[in-house]
Amino acid sequence: MSKSVVEVPPKGGFSFDLCKRNEMLANKGVNPPSFRKTGTTIVGLIFQDGVILGADTRATEGPIVCDKNCEKIHYMAPNIYCCGAGTAADTEAVTDMVSSQLQLHRYHTGRESRVVTALTLLKRHLFNYQGYVSAALVLGGVDVTGPHLHTIYPHGSTDTLPFATMGSGSLAAMAVFESKYKEGLTRNEGIELVTEAICSGIFNDLGSGSNVDVCVITKGGKEYLRNHLQPNPRTYTSSKGYSFPKKTEVLLTKIIPLKEKVEIIEGGDAMEE
Amino acid sequence: MTKQQANWSPYDNNGGSCVAIAGADYCVIAADTRMSTGYNILTREYSKICKLADKCVMASSGFQADVKALQKQLAARHLIYQHQHNKQMSCPAMAQLLSNTLYYKRFFPYYSFNVLGGLDNEGKGCVFTYDAVGSYEKVGYSSQGYGSTLIMPFLDNQLKSPSPLLLPVQDAVTPLVEAEAVDLVKTVFASASERDIYTGDKLEIVVVNAAGIRREYMELRKD
């Protein structure tokens, strides 16, 4: 009697079957392709009327910039937005997923979503994956209980803070916040402080760059200021321009006509019913 | 007992890119001025270009501590040469000296990626490109550093230097005029700064021609 292995469909989560093979390959010098990380500066702060979120717009693949103007402030609910740092695919996927879950929850309850709901859904998911879903988030929004700002770490821990920064540029941005933050900022003061913190990340951290995105959330509604500031225009464009040859050089032309294998008979029998 | 991997490396990479283009009677050598380590910027105003002789300039990217040591070594050897021969070293001579100096440390290399540019004995532009252990080649143009993967294909497309292996021997110099070559260098660095995080801040351009050595600066992206 032959031993048969019953193929059990995976219940979900990650399959770690290839880990041993990957380790063997890495020892031989064959490294896996790098993930696209957003190498980022994301910030959030609470001001007198609500929450302001900010982010830079550079996405990197190792030392190369792969997207000069990507969107890091993700929609969660009409009154809740989330900035994401870490692996771009992870932040996109996890925020999209929780956004859908929140919408279903809104239909179910008939009420506006609360920030703590989004927080719990996110942290439960991330803890479940034990940090392998590499998403570090700054979640902010205004609901019936007031304005809220939270940070969520890839392993699933959360903090509730009046001002927060995440990403590779978080130290540069936090330096600005720690110096200049005070309670009860007005809208314009808040936007200016957020912009200053993101700029600090953009200019001092190599993983962050390009433009500043800002999102202001209040009880009345939200204002998504895409590319609120663009402090990095292209520095030089040649006046004469450059020409590129329209095709690659032809080195050799060899034409082999295809021989017909099938003889085509015109007016053959019509297909039978 | 399992073999323990070293957890301390004597090397670091301070980033940056450098380019050199040889012309009929000039040579353009350029490098950005950003010095970085990891994700941090150490300074925005560090010159990677060093004048080795009257008509010979070197630009190096890589580990700047090793670059500094290499520059000191070459300057000392050049001084001795001047005492012994009563003249400045020519660019091809300096090229050979640099190659020998690098290979001397074959088993603990200078982590320095160099391009040497200048005028040869006849006043024609020449560019020599090196790897970390001294393998070198006379070419019409070259780039080294983090941005070279972005810069080199563009230079190949615009300049297309003939291979030195072709017969009859073709001239390695570009057909460009000095102003055009400087324009090309500015465009190339502006583009590299857009996509490479280690290249930016300021561009230093050095032009070597019969009149002497001229220095020019251009602002690059600071993010």
Side-chain angles (χ1 to χ4, degrees):
Chain A
M1 195 148 65
S2 60
K3 218 205 281 193
S4 61
V5 178
V6 180
E7 275 296 315
V8 182
K11 289 202 192 85
F14 293 113
S15 157
F16 291 99
D17 297 337
L18 291 173
C19 282
K20 232 180 166 176
R21 178 208 77 159
N22 289 346
E23 206 185 303
M24 186 271 292
L25 284 172
N27 287 336
K28 293 201 173 158
V30 179
N31 289 315
S34 60
F35 304 122
R36 186 166 81 131
K37 304 196 88 192
T38 50
T40 302
T41 307
I42 48 173
V43 305
L45 61 68
I46 297 191
F47 73 112
Q48 71 186 29
D49 301 325
V51 174
I52 305 178
L53 299 174
D56 75 306
T57 61
R58 172 184 280 183
T60 52
E61 251 166 9
I64 302 289
V65 175
C66 59
D67 193 344
K68 293 191 272 192
N69 206 4
C70 71
E71 282 184 37
K72 299 188 192 182
I73 305 184
H74 308 283
Y75 168 88
M76 297 286 267
N79 58 326
I80 308 173
Y81 273 76
C82 185
C83 307
T87 305
D90 286 339
T91 57
E92 287 279 345
V94 90
T95 50
D96 273 355
M97 186 194 79
V98 172
S99 170
S100 304
Q101 287 180 345
L102 283 175
Q103 189 163 48
L104 288 169
H105 195 248
R106 276 201 295 284
Y107 290 141
H108 193 75
T109 58
R111 290 183 170 87
E112 190 188 57
S113 293
R114 300 192 186 188
V115 182
V116 285
T117 316
L119 179 71
T120 308
L121 289 168
L122 286 165
K123 68 149 76 172
R124 290 247 173 95
H125 181 83
L126 293 175
F127 181 77
N128 212 9
Y129 285 90
Q130 288 292 294
Y132 282 99
V133 176
S134 177
L137 310 166
V138 170
L139 177 72
V142 179
D143 57 30
V144 284
T145 39
H148 297 273
L149 179 68
H150 304 279
T151 52
I152 309 167
Y153 291 83
H155 285 264
S157 64
T158 59
D159 286 319
T160 307
L161 299 161
F163 57 95
T165 66
M166 293 283 258
S168 58
S170 61
L171 271 67
M174 190 51 99
V176 172
F177 272 176
E178 287 288 10
S179 313
K180 297 187 180 177
Y181 181 82
K182 57 185 205 292
E183 283 187 24
L185 289 164
T186 64
R187 183 179 174 279
N188 287 337
E189 285 175 341
I191 293 178
E192 209 184 298
L193 185 57
V194 160
T195 311
E196 217 182 313
I198 297 290
C199 280
S200 170
I202 285 174
F203 291 114
N204 299 107
D205 173 42
L206 297 175
S208 315
S210 296
N211 314 121
V212 181
D213 281 353
V214 174
C215 185
V216 184
I217 311 171
T218 56
K219 204 168 67 170
K222 57 132 193 295
E223 221 183 308
Y224 185 64
L225 304 166
R226 168 81 170 141
N227 286 0
H228 173 68
L229 194 70
Q230 292 179 303
N232 286 301
R234 191 187 161 83
T235 45
Y236 184 78
T237 321
S238 171
S239 46
K240 69 173 172 72
Y242 289 94
S243 65
F244 301 95
K246 287 209 171 32
K247 56 180 166 61
T248 48
E249 290 172 27
V250 176
L251 295 174
L252 171 70
T253 312
K254 189 173 178 188
I255 302 172
I256 305 170
L258 293 172
K259 277 186 262 189
E260 287 188 7
K261 279 194 164 174
V262 177
E263 222 178 76
I264 302 163
I265 310 166
E266 288 296 321
D269 291 335
M271 254 192 343
E272 295 191 16
E273 285 296 305
Chain B
M1 186 160 104
T2 49
K3 198 172 184 180
Q4 205 188 17
Q5 293 282 349
N7 16 37
W8 176 81
S9 167
Y11 296 114
D12 188 13
N13 196 322
N14 297 122
S17 324
C18 37
V19 162
I21 302 177
D25 60 349
Y26 66 89
C27 186
V28 176
I29 300 105
D32 70 322
T33 62
R34 171 178 282 174
M35 187 159 143
S36 51
T37 171
Y39 271 133
N40 302 309
I41 299 177
L42 292 170
T43 178
R44 297 190 193 272
E45 288 171 58
Y46 190 81
S47 175
K48 299 188 183 68
I49 304 180
C50 174
K51 181 180 137 185
L52 297 174
D54 241 359
K55 302 283 179 186
C56 187
V57 172
M58 177 175 83
S60 319
S61 85
F63 183 36
Q64 292 301 324
D66 273 355
V67 167
K68 216 12 150 283
L70 178 65
Q71 287 169 354
K72 274 176 114 177
Q73 180 77 323
L74 292 172
R77 290 299 309 276
H78 184 221
L79 196 58
I80 295 169
Y81 181 95
Q82 285 179 75
H83 288 151
Q84 289 174 343
H85 297 88
N86 198 22
K87 65 170 179 169
Q88 294 264 328
M89 270 178 101
S90 67
C91 200
M94 186 57 89
Q96 184 68 55
L97 175 64
L98 175 54
S99 171
N100 292 341
T101 311
L102 290 169
Y103 197 78
Y104 194 69
K105 290 216 339 133
R106 170 65 179 83
F107 299 109
F108 183 12
Y110 288 107
Y111 196 92
S112 163
F113 300 97
N114 314 296
V115 274
L116 193 77
L119 303 177
D120 62 13
N121 291 317
E122 293 143 28
K124 259 197 345 209
C126 59
V127 167
F128 298 89
T129 185
Y130 295 79
D131 71 355
V133 282
S135 158
Y136 80 112
E137 191 189 354
K138 181 169 189 295
V139 287
Y141 59 89
S142 175
S143 72
Q144 291 282 354
Y146 269 115
S148 70
T149 46
L150 298 166
I151 296 172
M152 212 47 180
F154 185 69
L155 292 181
D156 283 336
N157 179 276
Q158 296 292 311
L159 301 175
K160 237 195 290 251
S161 177
S163 167
L165 301 169
L166 281 176
L167 287 172
V169 175
Q170 287 185 37
D171 227 359
V173 299
T174 59
L176 292 179
V177 157
E178 188 185 302
E180 286 176 327
V182 171
D183 186 75
L184 181 63
V185 159
K186 288 180 180 174
T187 307
V188 138
F189 268 94
S191 306
S193 325
E194 297 273 319
R195 289 289 176 175
D196 176 31
I197 62 178
Y198 296 113
T199 304
D201 290 332
K202 221 160 51 169
L203 171 64
E204 189 185 356
I205 308 171
V206 170
V207 182
V208 184
N209 53 23
I213 300 188
R214 181 182 101 234
R215 209 166 281 248
E216 203 180 308
Y217 292 96
M218 185 187 91
E219 295 294 318
L220 293 174
R221 275 175 79 124
K222 305 214 177 312
D223 65 353

